[in-house]
Amino acid sequence: MKLTVLGGGGVRSPFLAKSIAYNAHRIGVSEVVFLDNDSEKLAVYGAIAQGVFERIRGDIRFRLTDDAQEALRDANYIITTLRIGGEAGRIDDERIALNHQVLGQETTGAGGFAMAMRSIPAIVDYCRLIEKISAPDAVLFNFTNPSGMVTEAIIKSGFTRRVYGICDAPSEFIRELAELLECTENALSVDCYGLNHLSWFRNVQVNGKDVMPQLLSDPRLYRDTCMKYFSPALVALSDNQLLNEYLYYYYYREQAITAILAAGETRGEQIATINQRMMADLSAIDIPNQLEHAFTVYFAHYLARENSYMQRESSQGKVKEREMLTLQQFIEQPDTGGYAGVAIDILEAVNSGQNKRVVVSMQNNDTLDFLHPEDVIEISCELNSEGIRPIKMRDIPDTQKNLIARVKEYERLAVTAILNGDRMLAIKALMVHPLVNSFSLATTLVDEYLQAHSQYTGHWR
């Protein structure tokens, strides 16, 4: 079985490589290919990823390439993790929004729209190639952000293979809850529903016992999990349901904008500075022959990225800061799975018949009865040899329904606008988004994004 990663030259590639290496046996992977059209990043981050992978599974062939035909030919499993436009595109997305006092977070609202403008056409092009040359039963796992919208665009483009949208935010939060409740993840059951980066968690059970009252009264919930970004009063107003960390941008919008402006530097600008230093340092190293040294340099810069997550927006740091590791310590540290782990869980459950529960983005059908059947939602699913079955969610509180429905209307319109290059429909999409909610602002934002990203918008009218 051949597994291909599109975007294998990304900064997180060593983590992805580690996860695949430790889990390859579960789905019979015998060949792994990391593809990236940025040869410089592939030669740095891809080379570190290759070194990590081969230290763990030297018996599995691992290759780096910038040739899409070579990477996708006969591929059985494809993972997409692309950042079209790189850090420069992200900075433009954020700054254009902030210039109009609108939140520019890269997956949410105006910034998410701009990212989708670049991501969707690129992914659709890859999907056409997958249809032509990949294995007939190829399965696509989309991690490219904004993941829910990109997954919906893949399906609406006519792609005929199985496709799942995956984000590691829900699985990381569920892992935090398991640690707080001192139980295994297998013993923990949580219902997640909503949209990607706009979801809620309820019905938390351990071995079938309701533990929500215990959880809600535990002060550690607001200290040791991503619930630290929210107040107990907001949880109470949300019918005592827990929130995806990205809902911070909706419920604390003005605080986020004020904090970002006060910092004088956006998250994209911060990441770009760190990445430039990291590339400069790593480019001076013979990575294949100095892998331990290269990894130490890489990980030090990576920690600067990870441990500053959400600081500018919330004036708080990560829930748990990572600590410095050597290459050997990194390899020996138990693999938490990350987003690759969710993909492998799906494949293993379907192939082996084991029962598992995962959170994925997939078509709604009648899972959430207040949305369209063809809408892509983020939902808890049961997995076994019969396939993947979303858990139907009823009795959704009106507050959540209203926000989900508004953002879904935006996503529906935005995906269609991007697929067809329709400027007026794009304006309508941003006009209805709760973080924009203005025709004049939407018009300005769409026009400025079209101009800033003109190299990606040749099909627009």
Side-chain angles (χ1 to χ4, degrees):
M1 292 289 193
K2 178 179 178 181
L3 186 153
T4 295
V5 174
L6 305 181
V11 173
R12 295 179 70 184
S13 289
F15 288 85
L16 182 56
K18 175 186 173 181
S19 187
I20 294 170
Y22 273 116
N23 293 285
H25 66 282
R26 294 165 55 196
I27 54 173
V29 170
S30 57
E31 180 181 5
V32 176
V33 182
F34 274 32
L35 167 81
D36 207 294
N37 59 11
D38 188 323
S39 56
E40 184 181 8
K41 289 184 177 179
L42 192 65
V44 172
Y45 303 123
I48 296 173
Q50 182 170 15
V52 168
F53 187 94
E54 291 176 347
R55 290 286 179 98
I56 300 168
R57 291 300 305 267
D59 57 318
I60 294 178
R61 187 184 182 199
F62 186 104
R63 289 183 294 127
L64 303 173
T65 183
D66 60 2
D67 185 335
Q69 295 264 348
E70 176 189 348
L72 289 170
R73 191 173 306 281
D74 301 322
N76 304 95
Y77 313 125
I78 299 119
I79 291 174
T80 77
T81 174
L82 304 174
R83 178 175 286 281
I84 308 301
E87 290 93 358
R90 178 178 185 174
I91 291 169
D92 284 340
D93 297 347
E94 293 171 336
R95 279 295 170 194
I96 287 171
L98 287 170
N99 287 343
H100 301 285
Q101 296 295 305
V102 174
L103 188 71
Q105 202 278 334
E106 64 170 341
T107 64
T108 305
F113 168 78
M115 190 178 199
M117 280 175 58
R118 301 189 302 277
S119 298
I120 287 172
I123 290 287
V124 169
D125 284 346
Y126 277 120
C127 285
R128 293 191 183 106
L129 188 57
I130 291 167
E131 295 270 28
K132 290 180 181 178
I133 67 174
S134 295
D137 60 348
V139 185
L140 177 65
F141 296 94
N142 175 59
F143 304 114
T144 298
N145 277 322
S147 178
M149 290 177 65
V150 173
T151 302
E152 184 158 324
I154 291 170
I155 295 170
K156 287 184 174 178
S157 72
F159 188 65
T160 61
R161 311 299 177 88
R162 282 181 292 166
V163 55
Y164 304 102
I166 297 176
C167 173
D168 53 358
S171 58
E172 285 187 2
F173 179 53
I174 291 169
R175 189 175 299 117
E176 289 171 357
L177 293 180
E179 290 180 8
L180 191 150
L181 292 164
E182 298 179 349
C183 68
T184 66
E185 288 184 58
N186 289 335
L188 182 65
S189 172
V190 183
D191 288 346
C192 173
Y193 70 90
L195 310 177
N196 177 237
H197 289 185
L198 192 98
S199 55
W200 288 261
F201 303 83
R202 66 180 191 179
N203 297 338
V204 181
Q205 299 181 5
V206 176
N207 293 320
K209 179 184 176 182
D210 180 16
V211 295
M212 280 298 288
Q214 170 190 339
L215 197 57
L216 292 170
S217 63
D218 191 332
R220 295 177 301 162
L221 178 68
Y222 299 96
R223 186 188 69 214
D224 298 340
T225 79
C226 68
M227 287 300 297
K228 70 182 290 183
Y229 303 121
F230 307 106
S231 74
L234 174 58
V235 172
L237 293 173
S238 303
D239 284 59
N240 286 326
Q241 298 184 10
L242 308 180
L243 296 83
N244 184 303
E245 61 191 329
Y246 285 87
L247 283 164
Y248 176 84
Y249 298 110
Y250 290 85
Y251 292 125
Y252 296 84
R253 180 184 68 248
E254 77 290 346
Q255 292 185 26
I257 293 174
T258 299
I260 294 167
L261 292 173
E265 181 184 50
T266 68
R267 177 63 172 165
E269 289 163 347
Q270 180 188 34
I271 291 292
T273 299
I274 295 170
N275 286 353
Q276 287 164 9
R277 291 172 182 160
M278 179 159 43
M279 280 296 292
D281 290 348
L282 289 170
S283 296
I285 300 172
D286 180 1
I287 294 173
N289 295 312
Q290 297 177 286
L291 183 62
E292 285 82 0
H293 175 50
F295 183 84
T296 298
V297 172
Y298 159 79
F299 206 76
H301 288 292
Y302 181 81
L303 289 182
R305 285 172 48 114
E306 289 300 295
N307 291 341
S308 60
Y309 174 74
M310 286 288 281
Q311 277 184 350
R312 274 160 174 70
E313 300 90 338
S314 70
S315 301
Q316 300 185 67
K318 280 181 71 74
V319 173
K320 290 184 179 179
E321 291 194 353
R322 291 180 180 268
E323 297 180 351
M324 187 65 196
L325 298 174
T326 64
L327 174 61
Q328 191 59 35
Q329 289 171 331
F330 174 73
I331 288 172
E332 292 175 354
Q333 189 177 65
D335 178 53
T336 57
Y339 47 75
V342 179
I344 291 169
D345 280 346
I346 292 172
L347 294 169
E348 182 184 44
V350 172
N351 293 337
S352 70
Q354 294 181 5
N355 291 318
K356 288 185 179 290
R357 177 179 275 227
V358 295
V359 179
V360 300
S361 289
M362 61 185 299
Q363 276 195 311
N364 177 46
N365 295 317
D366 65 342
T367 306
L368 297 179
D369 57 4
F370 58 95
L371 297 179
H372 297 183
E374 68 275 14
D375 289 339
V376 166
I377 61 172
E378 185 168 86
I379 198 78
S380 291
C381 298
E382 299 285 357
L383 286 166
N384 55 40
S385 58
E386 297 179 1
I388 186 165
R389 181 180 61 84
I391 297 169
K392 289 186 178 180
M393 303 283 181
R394 298 295 184 259
D395 303 320
I396 305 297
D398 287 344
T399 299
Q400 281 89 317
K401 273 187 183 179
N402 290 336
L403 185 53
I404 292 169
R406 284 192 70 189
V407 175
K408 189 69 243 183
E409 183 183 6
Y410 148 75
E411 290 189 353
R412 210 180 285 132
L413 292 166
V415 166
T416 303
I418 294 166
L419 287 173
N420 295 295
D422 189 328
R423 171 180 170 273
M424 289 304 294
L425 201 58
I427 291 170
K428 184 176 182 180
L430 279 185
M431 182 179 74
V432 304
H433 196 291
L435 295 181
V436 179
N437 199 37
S438 161
F439 167 73
S440 56
L441 261 181
T443 302
T444 298
L445 289 166
V446 169
D447 287 345
E448 291 191 16
Y449 283 135
L450 285 171
Q451 182 177 1
H453 304 306
S454 57
Q455 68 188 103
Y456 305 102
T457 58
H459 69 296
W460 282 74
R461 61 183 190 279

